[in-house]
Amino acid sequence: MTLAHTLGYPRIGANRELKKATEAYWKGDIDRKALEATGAELRARHWQSQRDAGLDWVTVGDFAFYDQVLNVSMLLGAVPKRFASGDGEVDLDTSFRMARGRAPTGHPAAACEMTKYFDTNYHYLVPELYAGQSFQLTSERLFDEVDEAIGAGHPVKVSLLGPLTWLWLGKAKDEGLDRLSLLDAILPVYDEILDRLSSQGVDWVQLDEPALVQDLSQDWKQAFESAYNQLQSAPVKRLLTTYFGGLGDNLQLAVGLPVDGLHIDAVRDPEQLPRVIDNLSPYKVLSVGAIDGRNIWRADLAALQDSLSDAKSRLGERLWLAPSCSLLHVPVDVETEAKLDGELKSWLSFARQKLDEVVTLSHLLDGRQTVEDESRLDAAIKALDARRSSARIHKVAVTERMKAICDADAQRPAPYAERVKAQRRVLDLPLFPTTTIGSFPQTNEIRTARRDFKTGKLGQTDYEERMRAEIADAVSRQERLGLDLLVHGEAERNDMVEYFGELLEGFAFTQYGWVQSYGSRCVKPPIIFGDVSRPTPMTVRWSEFAQAQTNKPMKGMLTGPVTILQWSFVRDDQLRETTCRQVALALRDEVADLEAAGISAIQIDEPALREGLPLRQAQWPSYLDWAVTCFRLSASVARNETQIHTHMCYSEFNDIIASIAALDADVITIETSRSDMELLDAFQDFQYPNEIGPGVYDIHSPNIPEVSWMVQLVEKAAERIPADRLWVNPDCGLKTRAWAEVEPALANMVEAALELRRRHA
């Protein structure tokens, strides 16, 4: 029998129950007992969904109140000293202080660094690693959850981030520290964890090691062998789990490790399947990730049945089936989408439906399909045929415009050295100019107005009047604070990608398609199902109104083509590069219209540029070539006098600094406050040619930064970047913060800029 399972399930809840309860706890509206009760209810519901679908295991250990990597840090006792509250179990509030810098109990402290989890839009809390660091089991949460699931009568498979990938994701905080030097101190704790799980009755533990799909040096490969040799005596069966790509040159390493089973991603790299089977020991099971855990398109069950038939005949009952990765990266249930048109909805599969696809595929391979399985297979065939032939996907005008693109379309009229002179005459900004990244607090009043507008309680005229009032208020606050380059605050925008997708052709939207980005932050990615074009201007009238409220320059705000691509569910019937170019041309029209409306600075955000980078370096040049070209296509229509900004956050991009420079943005703003300007190390050896705003205010923490701290950060930056090319700005947009936090923080930021001007005058 082919076993069916999943590597993980969305934890936020179909109605974002986890987000709402967590934020209520942070605000003091509910106590910890109520928060824990919400977590328990969600876990029970999600386990039952897995059993109802017919999975052979429920997966335990994938739940987190903030982040699964942070969970492992807590489990190992890897808590930086600034958060420690003595020996013993590390409590939930400690994890919140590590993530946010603040919790309902305990003293505030600088939050841990946050960055993207491999090539996803999910953010994890970076483990801090120190020389001589000790580790011990300091959390009972995983074991309690196992007891919950077993007590509910479920067969349990535990999901646990593997020791090597946890180290891989960590950052050495002591100069010269080799992260692998800590492995011997970590492994005894993993041994203890596996022993405890066995004593609870757990048979299988899924050890996630996605680091195996990346380029590994020889010392890391040897560390995998050493670690898993030490862990092989554990009294549980171990499923070594890889995802987000193929094993490549690590295939022999992975299949040779002393574990009981291996999971591979057969969506990202289906060609590796026969090679893995050829080299797999006869006692090991092979879990094939056949259903796409990263995208929302319905699976071609008939094609998968055919492509996996050889694997089934060779492996027999040693074949397991699962999604390619955790379903954390997709929405919960497409059946809740009452407003999607029937044809488009029939093309989609969310987490709940992907469980059904895994189970049906396992039944088809075994020849034990039910009437329900036959019905699903028939529905999939019909939906896929309809999608391939649908007239709503391909647009002749878009195709013709794509053919007309030439190299000159991706070039500004003059180099930066000439442009900057014209821009400084137009903008007339001081040394160390201050600005923000774009968004201001989305207050309850703004959210209520948007909700009432969408439900029809508020007419369009009244809604737009309220948004203009919010914009005028944001402009007035910025003027009082003394900021130099203003923004309109984005009151009218629900999300930096969703807003644009709603105004572009080729996009569709869900009501409840929420996906966790980090902590309590959820996004609702658009669905790009067809050719992309811009019917009408999207932002011009809001920027024009904002500019009319002030004599200071106003910055137009756009989301870049690569980020719109990365943060959407993208059609899988053409190259991603092609879709990105279509988006870039739509944004190019918007840049031209903003400029014509008198907007002299335009920001095209690309926080996802680094995120889209392939996990293997050999594939970087191709991606970076088209990604940079797409950005330049969107921006290069601007005149020399128009200052083009871009923004990047929460990504390690030192290794692609040359490509970032190739974007040729006049100003780039980046996240640096959490990393204490470590991201600027790239500028030691690379002479960045344009202007840069290293973030001095960590907007993901409610803590208000001190003037001296911000001055110190910019002075560090000035050691690498000439002062006349430095800006002063927050790390990211401010929509998730409250005005009571934002205004004093920005006041301190402006004061820091004044002090810097005095020092460098």
Side-chain angles (χ1 to χ4, degrees):
M1 186 177 72
T2 303
L3 267 67
H5 70 115
T6 183
L7 306 190
Y9 199 73
R11 52 187 175 242
I12 57 173
N15 293 305
R16 295 179 294 160
E17 294 93 331
L18 185 61
K19 167 193 172 66
K20 295 169 185 175
T22 304
E23 291 181 350
Y25 174 65
W26 292 340
K27 293 176 184 176
D29 294 339
I30 64 172
D31 60 17
R32 191 181 305 184
K33 183 178 180 181
L35 176 61
E36 293 281 10
T38 298
E41 195 280 327
L42 287 170
R43 291 191 294 272
R45 185 194 309 171
H46 299 157
W47 293 332
Q48 192 59 50
S49 292
Q50 293 170 50
R51 292 306 309 283
D52 290 345
L55 295 189
D56 294 288
W57 307 102
V58 301
T59 299
V60 179
D62 56 339
F63 181 83
F65 280 104
Y66 204 96
D67 164 49
Q68 73 270 12
V69 180
L70 177 60
N71 273 12
V72 175
S73 298
M74 307 290 286
L75 191 62
L76 299 175
V79 179
K81 291 181 179 178
R82 64 186 182 277
F83 304 107
S85 56
D87 296 330
E89 182 167 3
V90 180
D91 68 3
L92 184 60
D93 276 8
T94 301
S95 72
F96 288 147
R97 289 197 301 277
M98 290 173 67
R100 306 174 63 243
R102 180 181 297 183
T105 64
H107 297 292
C112 294
E113 187 176 347
M114 184 165 62
T115 195
K116 300 294 179 67
Y117 189 67
F118 293 89
D119 62 346
T120 74
N121 185 35
Y122 178 80
H123 303 63
Y124 75 94
L125 270 296
V126 179
E128 295 185 12
L129 307 176
Y130 300 88
Q133 192 168 357
S134 62
F135 301 91
Q136 59 182 329
L137 191 58
T138 55
S139 174
E140 292 291 312
R141 188 168 293 276
L142 174 62
F143 311 111
D144 292 342
E145 291 175 6
V146 168
D147 284 340
E148 283 179 32
I150 292 174
H154 298 307
V156 168
K157 169 179 62 72
V158 167
S159 169
L160 178 65
L161 187 65
L164 274 302
T165 295
W166 184 81
L167 277 175
W168 179 270
L169 295 171
K171 177 175 284 188
K173 304 303 286 186
D174 290 333
E175 187 174 353
L177 173 65
D178 178 2
R179 289 171 293 171
L180 288 175
S181 67
L182 300 174
L183 183 59
D184 286 344
I186 291 172
L187 291 177
V189 186
Y190 268 85
D191 258 330
E192 185 179 356
I193 293 167
L194 297 177
D195 284 342
R196 285 278 303 274
L197 293 173
S198 175
S199 70
Q200 290 179 283
V202 173
D203 291 327
W204 280 90
V205 175
Q206 166 192 315
L207 288 165
D208 286 8
E209 294 284 13
L212 281 165
V213 306
Q214 296 200 278
D215 299 313
L216 296 178
S217 60
Q218 191 58 35
D219 58 340
W220 278 88
K221 292 181 181 183
Q222 291 172 350
F224 267 98
E225 292 179 340
S226 174
Y228 279 86
N229 277 321
Q230 291 184 59
L231 293 175
Q232 68 176 315
S233 61
V236 291
K237 294 178 181 179
R238 286 140 297 133
L239 180 70
L240 181 72
T241 306
T242 67
Y243 44 80
F244 299 154
L247 288 164
D249 61 345
N250 297 323
L251 189 147
Q252 292 293 341
L253 169 65
V255 297
L257 292 176
V259 293
D260 304 279
L262 174 67
H263 173 89
I264 61 170
D265 186 336
V267 174
R268 285 288 182 93
D269 186 6
E271 288 78 17
Q272 68 178 325
L273 178 57
R275 289 182 57 221
V276 170
I277 296 174
D278 288 344
N279 289 276
L280 194 71
S281 297
Y283 68 87
K284 292 181 181 178
V285 303
L286 179 63
S287 170
V288 178
I291 303 298
D292 194 346
R294 294 275 298 270
N295 214 334
I296 44 72
W297 303 106
R298 192 168 197 154
D300 189 337
L301 293 173
L304 286 171
Q305 180 184 12
D306 183 62
S307 66
L308 291 171
S309 60
D310 181 64
K312 178 61 183 176
S313 66
R314 296 178 65 184
L315 293 169
E317 295 197 353
R318 291 192 295 130
L319 177 65
W320 292 10
L321 289 181
S324 57
C325 61
S326 170
L327 297 175
L328 169 73
H329 308 285
V330 295
V332 177
D333 189 356
V334 76
E335 292 304 321
T336 62
E337 300 296 335
K339 293 187 178 180
L340 273 179
D341 72 80
E343 182 185 40
L344 180 57
K345 185 175 178 179
S346 73
W347 300 346
L348 305 180
S349 174
F350 292 176
R352 182 60 186 82
Q353 288 68 47
K354 290 180 186 294
L355 300 183
D356 293 337
E357 289 176 333
V358 170
V359 171
T360 291
L361 184 57
S362 72
H363 291 172
L364 292 172
L365 288 170
D366 289 347
R368 56 188 175 103
Q369 58 265 35
T370 64
V371 172
E372 187 176 23
D373 294 323
E374 294 287 359
S375 176
R376 285 178 190 155
L377 177 62
D378 183 59
I381 291 170
K382 290 179 179 177
L384 288 162
D385 286 345
R387 183 182 169 206
R388 293 186 190 103
S389 60
S390 175
R392 68 198 298 182
I393 292 177
H394 302 290
K395 305 295 181 184
V396 174
V398 176
T399 302
E400 293 303 314
R401 189 177 184 191
M402 291 281 286
K403 291 178 181 177
I405 296 173
C406 64
D407 291 344
D409 292 329
Q411 301 292 330
R412 293 290 294 274
Y416 166 78
E418 293 182 32
R419 300 195 307 262
V420 68
K421 297 174 185 176
Q423 292 164 15
R424 289 180 178 176
R425 285 196 304 270
V426 170
L427 295 171
D428 191 27
L429 297 171
L431 187 66
F432 297 107
T434 56
T435 190
T436 63
I437 305 307
S439 62
F440 277 125
Q442 291 268 314
T443 62
N444 288 334
E445 291 77 12
I446 292 174
R447 295 180 188 278
T448 299
R450 184 180 300 118
R451 184 177 63 248
D452 289 349
F453 174 56
K454 287 191 172 184
T455 58
K457 293 181 181 178
L458 190 65
Q460 183 164 340
T461 300
D462 289 337
Y463 170 73
E464 292 187 358
E465 184 60 36
R466 292 192 189 184
M467 293 303 102
R468 283 192 290 270
E470 294 288 349
I471 290 169
D473 178 62
V475 172
S476 176
R477 290 176 190 255
Q478 291 172 84
E479 286 193 315
R480 290 198 301 271
L481 286 164
L483 290 162
D484 300 308
L485 178 59
L486 310 189
V487 297
H488 79 288
E490 304 179 15
E492 81 288 359
R493 302 187 189 182
N494 44 12
D495 176 80
M496 65 181 292
V497 173
E498 184 178 4
Y499 173 81
F500 289 96
E502 287 177 337
L503 299 170
L504 292 168
E505 296 287 349
F507 283 74
F509 292 87
T510 61
Q511 285 179 279
Y512 306 107
W514 296 102
V515 177
Q516 185 180 22
S517 178
Y518 64 84
S520 67
R521 168 75 168 146
C522 300
V523 295
K524 192 146 56 75
I527 298 167
I528 306 179
F529 68 86
D531 286 342
V532 177
S533 61
R534 186 198 73 147
T536 58
M538 302 178 287
T539 67
V540 176
R541 62 196 179 104
W542 301 111
S543 292
E544 276 187 308
F545 174 79
Q547 183 63 85
Q549 310 306 305
T550 180
N551 292 323
K552 289 190 172 184
M554 180 64 56
K555 185 166 55 171
M557 301 300 305
L558 305 176
T559 301
V562 178
T563 298
I564 288 178
L565 184 85
Q566 285 296 126
W567 294 358
S568 299
F569 292 119
V570 183
R571 58 190 293 188
D572 58 358
D573 60 339
Q574 70 179 15
L575 294 174
R576 291 173 67 85
E577 171 186 353
T578 301
T579 303
C580 195
R581 286 175 181 262
Q582 292 176 358
V583 177
L585 291 175
L587 293 171
R588 182 181 178 89
D589 295 340
E590 190 72 11
V591 169
D593 285 345
L594 281 168
E595 187 179 66
I599 303 301
S600 52
I602 301 170
Q603 182 169 306
I604 306 172
D605 286 339
E606 284 292 20
L609 182 76
R610 178 63 171 80
E611 172 190 315
L613 201 64
L615 297 178
R616 295 284 186 166
Q617 290 196 18
Q619 299 166 4
W620 287 12
S622 174
Y623 163 76
L624 289 169
D625 179 66
W626 65 255
V628 168
T629 297
C630 286
F631 177 88
R632 293 178 65 131
L633 270 176
S634 67
S636 294
V637 69
R639 298 190 300 265
N640 290 336
E641 294 82 1
T642 301
Q643 190 175 70
I644 296 294
H645 292 234
T646 192
H647 171 66
M648 297 177 184
C649 60
Y650 300 99
S651 291
E652 298 284 354
F653 53 71
N654 292 5
D655 47 4
I656 61 165
I657 190 65
S659 295
I660 290 172
L663 296 174
D664 199 26
D666 299 301
V667 182
I668 177 175
T669 51
I670 58 174
E671 179 276 325
T672 51
S673 67
R674 281 202 179 196
S675 62
D676 196 21
M677 292 287 162
E678 284 182 14
L679 286 178
L680 292 185
D681 289 347
F683 298 93
Q684 296 280 47
D685 302 315
F686 183 87
Q687 297 299 310
Y688 189 77
N690 302 2
E691 298 173 46
I692 184 166
V696 296
Y697 162 20
D698 175 14
I699 68 90
H700 291 95
S701 170
N703 298 338
I704 296 169
E706 296 179 355
V707 173
S708 59
W709 168 251
M710 290 189 276
V711 169
Q712 176 187 336
L713 289 177
V714 179
E715 291 286 19
K716 280 189 177 183
E719 296 171 3
R720 301 166 175 87
I721 306 291
D724 66 347
R725 288 199 275 122
L726 281 173
W727 287 63
V728 180
N729 47 262
D731 277 343
C732 201
L734 297 161
K735 66 179 295 182
T736 61
R737 302 261 60 92
W739 278 114
E741 301 161 342
V742 166
E743 288 195 287
L746 291 181
N748 285 359
M749 190 184 82
V750 170
E751 181 57 38
L754 294 174
E755 172 60 23
L756 289 161
R757 290 168 198 163
R758 287 191 286 268
R759 293 188 182 191
H760 291 262

